[in-house]
Amino acid sequence: VQVASADEINERNKRYVQVSGFVARKQNLTYRQDLTLIQAILDCGDITDYGSRYIQVTRYDSRTGTTHTQTYDYFSARDRSLRLQPNDVIFVKQRGAFEGRPKEVGP
């Protein structure tokens, strides 16, 4: 039998969202229930000058045991408000040579 403190138990039960690619700081963020795609990216210092507006989110489906990757647009208000789930993996791709950036966020 091992005795653990409440802090040790809480640390073991933490769930994360992984953010990598062309963001200022690649890191694992502690999952919180209201975490959105834009909040996760901003918590990592935003996308870099070389980062694409197209962001991939890979989500594990525990029912089927598979992962599914979907691409979202950084400049879409609807995509920015995507609610994340524990263990989501966010990857900001490298911006293409001819990929432009709009001046404002769209629908």
Side-chain angles (χ1 to χ4, degrees):
V1 174
Q2 289 184 348
V3 177
S5 70
D7 290 338
E8 290 172 324
I9 292 170
N10 287 337
E11 186 63 33
R12 288 183 198 155
N13 291 331
K14 275 189 182 176
R15 299 177 292 175
Y16 295 92
V17 171
Q18 181 182 355
V19 183
S20 64
F22 288 84
V23 290
R25 292 180 309 277
K26 299 161 188 59
Q27 61 184 334
N28 290 335
L29 300 173
T30 302
Y31 171 78
R32 57 186 189 270
Q33 198 167 15
D34 62 343
L35 185 62
T36 62
L37 181 60
I38 189 65
Q39 290 169 333
I41 291 172
L42 292 176
D43 285 353
C44 292
D46 211 352
I47 60 175
T48 67
D49 291 338
Y50 300 104
S52 173
R53 67 186 283 176
Y54 301 107
I55 300 163
Q56 295 177 330
V57 176
T58 302
R59 184 167 285 168
Y60 176 73
D61 185 346
S62 60
R63 291 175 291 141
T64 63
T66 60
T67 59
H68 174 73
T69 301
Q70 188 163 345
T71 301
Y72 295 93
D73 186 349
Y74 180 83
F75 292 100
S76 164
R78 181 185 62 227
D79 290 355
R80 284 177 167 218
S81 62
L82 171 74
R83 291 280 173 121
L84 298 175
Q85 295 180 4
N87 303 317
D88 278 355
V89 177
I90 300 168
F91 181 75
V92 178
K93 301 182 338 180
Q94 184 175 9
R95 186 167 72 168
F98 300 104
E99 180 182 321
R101 292 194 176 167
K103 295 182 191 301
E104 57 188 48
V105 174

